[in-house]
Structure formats: structure tokens, C-alpha cells
Amino acid sequence: MDSRLGSPVWRLLRHFSWQELRHHGVRHATAVLAVLLGVALAFSVHLINASALSEFSAAVRAVNGQADLSLRAAHGGLDETLYTRVASHPQVALASPVIEVVTQARGPRQSSTQTIDQASPARANPTTTSLRVIGLDPLVAAPLSPGLWPQLDAAIQAHDRLALLATDTISLNLAAQRSLGAHPGDTLQVQTGLKLLTLRVIGTVAAQGEPLGVMDIAGAQDTFGTPGQITRLDIKLAGGAQASEVLDALKLPAGVLSDSAEDATQRVSNMSRAYRVNLTVLALVALFTGAFLVFSILSLSVAKRQQQFALLGVLGLGARERLQLVLWESAFIGLMGAALGIALGTGLAAAALRLLAGDLGGGYFPGITPHLQWSLQAALVYGALGVLAAMVGGLVPARMAQRLAPAQALKGLGDVTRHTRGWWLGPALLLLGVGLTRLPPVAGVPLAAYLAVACLLVGGIACVPATVGALLRLWPRHALARHATLMLSLERARRMRHTATVVMAGVVASLSLSVALTVMVASFRSSVTSWLDVVLPADLYARTAKTSSGNDTQHLTPALLADIARIPGVQRVVGIRLSSLSLRPDLAPVALIARPIGQATDAAQRSLPLTGELLPPRLDAINIFVSEAMVDLYGTRPGTMLALPLLAGQAPVPAYVRGVWRDYARQQGAIVIDQADYQRLSGDTDINDLALWLAPATRTPDVQQAIRERARAQGLGGELIEFAEPREIRQTTLRIFDRSFAVTYWLQAVAIGIGLFGTAASFSAQVLARRKEFGLLAHLGFTRAQILATVAGEGAALSTVGALLGLALGLAVSVVLVHVVNPQSFHWTMDMMLPWPRLAALCASVVAAGTLTALSAGRAAVSRDAVMAVKEDW
């Protein structure tokens, strides 16, 4: 371009761009809003997850201390004699034994209700708080765990300097003081088994996070009935010592695992990673839909301004400059949306952390209330994603402006939206998407599956013109001969089907994703419901621990189980032992479930929701059943052997995997072993849960009261037993499920709202640009009602095709979500279920919105005088 024309042309170019943004700011504001919402949702989800994970990791580090490495038992506890052996090693500078248990506690106000509950045995447990109790040796723990070092109350220290070493004292962190209402000088009660023991609060600890209490290690052993055992052994190495060399020299017994503070933090991150990644990807759905909205709006803007571009081209503006102009407009939309989105996302994250406590319903970060941790780096990344999405959406319209023929456009003969090149792109992307579904996850994240979903969506949208033509061609032409209005609507939609991509891109993307998420959530919920029907066969369930973390300290005795079996109306009672088993230091412990199963194949099929092949039992080995997560994480397919380290100091027990069962409760994996085998191998006869089958006409409250009375007769706290019927457990589980997916519903609604809003803007802009066409129809004798019917029919035709295409794409994407993303992310499978009423409602809303939008836009277009509309063609 001539340098003498460059400056004036670019000034004229900026003028036209500014006039376009100023006069059609509402349309461009729609694109800015789409980018804004996408960036805001994605950035807020990132801030929430990052803040919660950081806070929870800090709490884990405070509990685990600053040791170079820690020794733990794979199952149960460590023999405290290991402490003497490790502490005397010359390369060990310091060794600190630790007791760590999770129990239920009652503060002063909560404990005052105990007499009321004893007077009303049928009443549920009084309010309790989950409390993590750490037992330390005060003489050696301070250098390794400064956050757990108790600060004695001044008055108590002046009165009793040795209170820290007393067996009935405890120090609380701030979260525990608030939850229990207990402060130095008060007393609280902690549960051990079916008993409540009273402890004096003598000080505070600085550790943050969940409610936490610190005791002397001897007092913790006495209180929770673990004499001679410790939970872990924290080690500080001497200067220059290597952890691997020390471990080799110690020759640790079988069943003892070593890890570091970094390993513990990594386990926390790994547990929630799949949930956090999936939630972030879901939040980016709105940004993905916004890119198509930018594409629609800029495509119509380029089509409307083709004569302006042609004039600038005659004046010397080249094709490259026209491309850059549209890309700069899309970048401006992205910058505006990203800047506002970062601000809005920060506000949303701050509000969510106050209301949802950081877990967004997932339950991965219990007991913490994290503070917002804003990150400039993350803001720049998500802001860049917003700009990138807008520029990707503006790339095709920019190419349209680049390919413009100025001479033809000045005569009104150009059509920048019509092009047939690249017809192969849509089918190629669809095939690529199918191929990507066969790839494995990367570091536990289904990256290939996410790319497959994107390829399916983009490929399907690229096939919109061909799909519109194929579907509308199926309509018999002879049926339209006597209906000029309907024929005009369908013929224009078919012959101008290239405009359907512009109009329907956003709504097809949002509808397909909404359909996919609807099918995935419905399939998951249906599968969970069916799973509950199998795993809850009894009439009544009882437990002593509210969470699995407290199973090692809150249990029932075999004597009580035998007594319960003799209660009138109880036909059968089964005790279940639930404990934790560590198989690998880098992974979270799996759940070990001991329950009566026996060797019979039909018994296993009735009591477990088995999937796949069930092998016959081996009489020469211990037979176990593993959950689906165990197959992905440990490779324990049916027919393989798995070593179970049930006792520290003894060789692992080889176990034969008979089958795989579906478990939606434990993402880290679970193993079911026959109770007789477990008790014989481990010597552990305690139980945590009860399943009771009652005789017909037996009243459940009578059985509950009888069980509590039998517990009191044995000197146990009957009011500490919690009961639940299968109906209550099912309702609670499904309520937790719906809470976990509540954010999904909101993000889904935002995405489809953006798509429908984009369709409205696209229809409005396109219909208003056809004033001459409507004026010509009026000259040919069409009434205003007929013109509106034509516009509404065209909108209905395109919206119907878009809804059908969005439904088809959504079903294809749902297959990927159900059968690829979920198994790779959470290690469980589900059965496909199609909620047709909800899907029909989604499609009907799209068709209705498109039709009403076209009709509303048509009213504005035909309100102008027909003669003035065609004046330019005289």
C-alpha cells in the first residue's frame, strides 16, 4: 500500500471501526458479555479451588510437621518399639512418635444435652463436632511440629506446670474452640468406642484448618485404647544424611511405609484433582460458547459492512489490512470481556468461599474456611484465554473480509458469508474426535477426551450448512406449492444455508453441551440409585463413626453384636469392619471392608454390584473383590493377585481377585474381604457398622431403643449409636449428589443462556439487514402478516435444524463423557440413561427462542416504509 495513502486510510479505517462499535454497541456488547461470563466463571472456579487446596495443604503440613520423612503402618498402627530402634540410629537427628485419631467431641454446651438424650433414647445423637486429635511427646515434638506445640494458658500454667503431661488434658486450635465453644479452663467430652471421656482444655495450638486438639502421647494412648502403638514416626535426619540410605540401613519390617510431607500434600492434591479439573473445564464451556457468539456477531458485522470494506479497498486498503482490522475488533472484545471477567470472577470467588467453604459441593476440603488467594499469574492466564477465545471466534469473519472482492462488493454482488472451500473440515474433525477417545489419560487427567469433545463440537458446527440442506431437502416440494409463505421460508433457509452457521453456531454449541451434561448427570444419578438398591439390602443400619476417618477409634464389640442378635424382631444382624489400607505411598489409602461373603458365587452377586467377569473362588488363597478404581490405580483385574499388608512386621498376605464391583462412595479404591478371613489374618474383631434384617411387623423405633438399652447394660453409651433406614440413606446420598452437581447446573444454564442470547442477536442483525428484501416482497403483494410469517418460519426452520443437530452432537458428546471422561477421571463406570422429557424441553426452548426472536426482529424490519426500503435500487 502506498505510504501516502496509508495514514489517511488507517485514520478512515479507525473512524469506521469506531462508528461501528458506537452505533452497534449493543450487538458487540453481547459478545463482550459472553467473554466476560466465560472468563469470570473459569477464573472464579480456579480461585476457589486454588485457595481451598492451598489452605488444606497448609493444614496437612501443619499436622505432618517438618520432618524429612515419616514412617506409617500400611494397616493399623506401628509398634512403639520401632521408635527406640529408629531414634538410636546415628543418622537420625530426631524421631518424634505421633498418635493421630479422628473422633467426635462435645463442648460444654453440647455436653449439657446428654441427660436429655439419655431420657429419650429414641432421639438422635446430640450435636457433636468431628475433632482430629494428635498425641505428641512434648519433649521432642517442638522442632518438628511447631504448629502443634501447645501454648498453656497462663492461669493454668501458674497453677499446674505439669498440666501438659497429664493424661486427661488437651489443647485446641482456633477452629476447635469455635466449633466446640470450649476454651482453656473448660472441659469437653471425646468419644472412644461407645464411651465418652472428659478432657480438660489447658491451652491452644497455632495450627489452622479443621478442628484439632493436641494431647500428650501417653494420654492419647490411654484415652483411645491404643497402648503400645503409634500412628506414625516423624524423623529429622542428621546433616548430610540421605533418606534412601537411612531407610536401607533401618531395614524396616514389612508393612511399614515411608513418605515425606511433600507426598502427603501431593496425595491431597491427587484426591481432588479430577474434580477440580472437570469443574474448570465445565466453567470454560461458557467461554467456548462465547467464542461462537463472537464468530456470529463479527460475521454479521462483516457482511453488513462489505461495501465499506470495498470502498476502503478501492482507496488502497489491502486484504491483509482488512484481516487485521477484524482481528483487532475481536481482540478489543476479548480484552474488554477479559478485564471485566477477571473483576467479576474475583468477586464470585470471594462470595463462594464465604458461602460454600471452598469445596463447591464436592466434599474434598472438609472443615476449612479458606481465604481468597488472588493470583496475578492466573489472572493473566485466564485473561489471555478470554482474548484468545474472542480472536479464534473472529478468525473466520476476518478471513471473510480478507477474501472480499471490492469491485463486486461495491455493486452489491458480493456475499462474504458464502464459501464452499474446506467442506472436508467438519467430517475430518469428527473422525479426529472419535480417534482421540481411544487415547489414555495423561497424569490422571483425560486431556485427549476433552480434545475429542472439542473436535466433535467444532466438527459438528462446521457441518451445519450441509445438515441444513440435507434436512430441508427432505421436505416434499409438492406440499409447498399452495403455501407461498412456507415455501419461501424453507427455500431461503435451504438455499442460504451458509448463513445458518453464523446464526446457529452458538446455540448448537451450547445446546449440545447442555444435552451432554444433562445425559451425563442423569446417567450418573440413575446409576447411583441402582447401586444403592444393591448395597442397602437390610432393613436398618447402625454405626458409631460419622466419617470413615473415625473407624479406628469408634467401634462396637463382638459381645454387643451377639447381644443384638438376640433382640426380638431381629432376624439377622451382620457386623462390618471398615478400615484403611495403604498400598502405595503416593496414593491415598484404600478402604478395606470386612463383611461376611463366603465362597458362594450367588452370595457375592447378591451382596455386591459386580461388573464384568466373576471368577470361581480359589480354595488355596484368600479371595477378595476390588472396586473399579482399584483396576485403574493398581491394575487388579480379575484373576490377578494382590498383596495385602494387614499387619506391620508380618509379610503381606497374597489375595486372589475374584471380581470387580461398582463403588461410587470411594474414589481412591476399596477392597471387600470375607470377615472370617480378615479376623483370622489380622486379629481385629472390632466392627464399625451394623446391618439388621427385621421380622415383618417389627417396629424400627422399638429395635433402636432395645439396641441402646443392651449397650447401656454393657456399660456403653447407647445414645452414641446412630441409626438410619435405607430410605434415609438413599435420600441423604442423593441430596449430597445433587449438591455436588449444583454448580454444574448453574454453569450449564449460563452456557445455554449465552447461546440463546447470541442466536437472538444474530437473528436480529440478519433480519434487520434484509430491509430491501422485505420491501420488495411488500411491492409484490405480501402483507405484513405474511412477511412476518416468512421470517418466523425461517427462524423456526433454522432453529429446528439447529436443535436436532445440537441434540445429535450432545448425545455423541455424552457418550464420551459417560464412557471415557468419567472412568478416566473418577475410575468408575455408569449406565447410559437418556432423560427424553428434559432433552425435549431443551430442544423445544431453542426452537421457541429462535422463532420468537426472528418474529420480533421481523416486526422491527417490516415496520419501515416499503418504498423507502427499495429506494436505493431505483
Side-chain angles (χ1 to χ4, degrees):
M1 184 170 52
D2 191 341
S3 60
R4 292 174 297 177
L5 295 177
S7 180
V9 168
W10 275 106
R11 285 199 297 269
L12 185 62
L13 190 63
R14 291 194 298 269
H15 171 75
F16 278 127
S17 299
W18 173 249
Q19 291 300 318
E20 170 68 15
L21 293 173
R22 188 167 65 91
H23 291 293
H24 300 282
V26 175
R27 186 167 65 229
H28 288 81
T30 304
V32 172
L33 178 63
V35 177
L36 182 155
L37 289 176
V39 172
L41 290 174
F43 186 56
S44 63
V45 167
H46 169 80
L47 287 180
I48 293 168
N49 286 328
S51 300
L53 180 61
S54 176
E55 191 88 11
F56 195 75
S57 298
V60 170
R61 288 193 297 270
V63 172
N64 290 341
Q66 301 175 0
D68 294 320
L69 59 91
S70 296
L71 304 181
R72 302 172 183 267
H75 181 256
L78 292 172
D79 192 323
E80 66 180 9
T81 57
L82 182 64
Y83 166 59
T84 304
R85 174 182 163 190
V86 172
S88 60
H89 192 278
Q91 290 184 303
V92 173
L94 189 65
S96 173
V98 180
I99 291 284
E100 183 176 354
V101 298
V102 177
T103 184
Q104 297 296 313
R106 301 179 185 177
R109 292 189 301 270
Q110 296 167 330
S111 300
S112 63
T113 63
Q114 180 180 359
T115 55
I116 299 178
D117 288 288
Q118 291 176 344
S120 304
R123 179 179 171 178
N125 276 354
T127 302
T128 59
T129 297
S130 180
L131 180 68
R132 183 176 298 274
V133 179
I134 306 293
L136 299 174
D137 184 349
L139 301 179
V140 298
L144 291 179
S145 305
L148 298 179
W149 179 255
Q151 298 293 328
L152 289 181
D153 180 74
I156 294 177
Q157 185 176 15
H159 177 71
D160 184 5
R161 295 183 178 182
L162 298 180
L164 189 63
L165 302 177
T167 59
D168 62 344
T169 61
I170 190 171
S171 301
L172 303 178
N173 69 347
L174 183 59
Q177 295 178 57
R178 291 175 176 174
S179 300
L180 296 169
H183 303 279
D186 295 331
T187 60
L188 58 83
Q189 293 179 314
V190 296
Q191 180 180 349
T192 172
L194 287 182
K195 295 182 179 179
L196 288 175
L197 299 180
T198 300
L199 300 177
R200 292 185 296 128
V201 181
I202 60 170
T204 61
V205 293
Q208 301 298 314
E210 62 183 325
L212 177 76
V214 175
M215 300 180 64
D216 177 69
I217 189 170
Q221 289 177 324
D222 292 343
T223 300
F224 298 104
T226 58
Q229 286 191 333
I230 57 176
T231 304
R232 72 173 192 265
L233 186 60
D234 294 338
I235 300 174
K236 183 71 173 179
L237 300 178
Q242 299 295 322
S244 57
E245 297 177 357
V246 173
L247 291 175
D248 292 338
L250 287 173
K251 293 183 173 51
L252 297 175
V256 178
L257 304 177
S258 64
D259 62 9
S260 62
E262 290 75 14
D263 294 330
T265 304
Q266 188 62 40
R267 284 195 296 268
V268 174
S269 177
N270 292 341
M271 278 293 295
S272 62
R273 180 175 55 192
Y275 180 79
R276 292 183 285 113
V277 170
N278 279 276
L279 200 59
T280 300
V281 171
L282 184 58
L284 289 173
V285 165
L287 191 57
F288 181 81
T289 308
F292 286 102
L293 183 55
V294 174
F295 159 71
S296 299
I297 289 176
L298 288 182
S299 295
L300 294 172
S301 176
V302 169
K304 178 179 177 296
R305 292 186 290 162
Q306 59 178 317
Q307 291 185 340
Q308 296 178 10
F309 284 122
L311 177 59
L312 292 173
V314 172
L315 293 176
L317 187 68
R320 180 180 179 183
E321 284 74 18
R322 294 195 298 271
L323 173 72
Q324 293 174 349
L325 169 64
V326 180
L327 288 179
W328 276 114
E329 289 183 7
S330 62
F332 174 79
I333 291 173
L335 284 172
M336 289 291 295
L340 296 175
I342 293 298
L344 179 60
T346 302
L348 290 176
L353 289 175
R354 287 195 299 268
L355 298 176
L356 302 177
D359 67 353
L360 290 178
Y364 288 98
F365 308 111
I368 65 169
T369 304
H371 302 287
L372 178 65
Q373 298 188 18
W374 198 85
S375 170
L376 176 60
Q377 182 180 1
L380 293 176
V381 169
Y382 282 92
L385 285 176
V387 176
L388 179 62
M391 294 191 69
V392 169
L395 182 60
V396 173
R399 292 283 294 168
M400 293 177 183
Q402 185 183 31
R403 289 192 301 266
L404 182 71
Q408 293 182 353
L410 281 176
K411 299 177 181 179
L413 301 177
D415 187 0
V416 295
T417 63
R418 186 182 185 91
H419 62 282
T420 57
R421 289 181 297 177
W423 59 268
W424 51 267
L425 180 61
L429 286 174
L430 293 177
L431 291 176
L432 178 60
V434 173
L436 287 172
T437 60
R438 311 302 300 174
L439 297 180
V442 179
V445 178
L447 293 179
Y450 293 140
L451 292 176
V453 171
C455 288
L456 290 175
L457 292 174
V458 177
I461 292 171
C463 294
V464 166
T467 306
V468 171
L471 292 178
L472 295 182
R473 196 177 292 114
L474 297 176
W475 193 280
R477 294 191 177 185
H478 60 82
L480 305 177
R482 298 183 180 181
H483 303 281
T485 301
L486 182 58
M487 180 183 67
L488 187 61
S489 298
L490 295 182
E491 284 298 312
R492 190 186 190 284
R494 184 171 68 85
R495 296 181 184 275
M496 303 294 291
R497 55 185 179 271
H498 49 278
T499 62
T501 303
V502 176
V503 174
M504 300 304 299
V507 75
V508 169
S510 61
L511 177 62
S512 58
L513 287 168
S514 297
V515 167
L517 292 174
T518 299
V519 172
M520 187 270 291
V521 174
S523 300
F524 198 1
R525 200 177 197 277
S526 175
S527 298
V528 170
T529 302
S530 302
W531 172 73
L532 290 172
D533 293 336
V534 178
V535 299
L536 298 175
D539 300 311
L540 181 65
Y541 292 88
R543 66 176 183 176
T544 59
K546 290 187 176 182
T547 63
S548 59
S549 302
N551 289 327
D552 291 332
T553 60
Q554 302 171 27
H555 47 257
L556 302 169
T557 62
L560 180 60
L561 178 64
D563 206 3
I564 292 174
R566 293 189 291 268
I567 294 177
V570 177
Q571 291 184 332
R572 179 188 173 202
V573 59
V574 171
I576 302 172
R577 174 60 166 152
L578 180 63
S579 58
S580 297
L581 181 67
S582 295
L583 299 178
R584 280 173 45 184
D586 59 324
L587 295 177
V590 304
L592 182 61
I593 305 171
R595 50 182 291 188
I597 296 180
Q599 303 293 335
T601 298
D602 57 344
Q605 292 175 333
R606 288 194 307 268
S607 59
L608 291 173
L610 298 174
T611 63
E613 183 183 14
L614 176 61
L615 301 179
R618 282 184 52 172
L619 301 180
D620 60 339
I622 302 299
N623 295 276
I624 60 173
F625 301 86
V626 299
S627 67
E628 293 174 313
M630 293 291 298
V631 178
D632 292 339
L633 297 175
Y634 299 94
T636 54
R637 291 173 175 80
T640 60
M641 301 295 292
L642 179 65
L644 303 181
L646 297 180
L647 283 177
Q650 296 187 8
V653 178
Y656 177 71
V657 180
R658 285 189 60 193
V660 178
W661 62 290
R662 185 173 290 174
D663 181 23
Y664 293 127
R666 305 165 189 91
Q667 183 183 335
Q668 74 275 16
I671 300 172
V672 174
I673 184 174
D674 186 71
Q675 192 173 65
D677 292 335
Y678 172 78
Q679 293 179 349
R680 175 172 52 84
L681 294 170
S682 66
D684 181 8
T685 59
D686 293 328
I687 55 178
N688 306 113
D689 299 340
L690 293 177
L692 297 96
W693 284 259
L694 307 182
T698 301
R699 294 183 68 252
T700 300
D702 294 341
V703 175
Q704 295 178 11
Q705 182 174 352
I707 291 175
R708 288 193 169 107
E709 290 175 351
R710 298 295 174 94
R712 293 192 187 96
Q714 295 186 13
L716 305 175
E719 73 281 356
L720 299 177
I721 303 177
E722 291 189 348
F723 296 97
E725 298 181 15
R727 172 183 53 83
E728 298 171 342
I729 299 176
R730 184 178 290 104
Q731 291 176 350
T732 301
T733 302
L734 294 178
R735 184 168 60 251
I736 295 173
F737 177 91
D738 292 335
R739 185 189 64 186
S740 299
F741 282 93
V743 179
T744 302
Y745 299 140
W746 281 105
L747 296 177
Q748 177 183 355
V750 170
I752 197 169
I754 292 175
L756 291 176
F757 200 60
T759 299
S762 300
F763 262 127
S764 300
Q766 191 177 85
V767 171
L768 290 175
R770 292 163 54 192
R771 293 185 297 111
K772 298 178 183 179
E773 177 186 335
F774 298 145
L776 180 60
L777 290 176
H779 277 288
L780 293 177
F782 276 71
T783 65
R784 185 174 185 272
Q786 289 176 319
I787 295 176
L788 290 177
T790 300
V791 175
E794 184 180 341
L798 291 179
S799 299
T800 301
V801 174
L804 293 176
L805 183 58
L807 177 62
L809 280 177
L811 294 178
V813 172
S814 67
V815 173
V816 179
L817 294 180
V818 171
H819 296 298
V820 182
V821 172
N822 272 288
Q824 290 185 359
S825 296
F826 302 103
H827 314 296
W828 53 51
T829 61
M830 63 185 74
D831 300 320
M832 193 88 168
M833 199 275 285
L834 301 178
W836 287 114
R838 295 177 62 185
L839 298 181
L842 280 174
C843 295
S845 66
V846 169
V847 174
T851 304
L852 293 176
T853 299
L855 182 61
S856 175
R859 288 181 180 274
V862 301
S863 63
R864 301 175 182 271
D865 184 73
V867 176
M868 297 299 297
V870 296
K871 179 180 178 180
E872 299 174 6
D873 293 333
W874 291 357

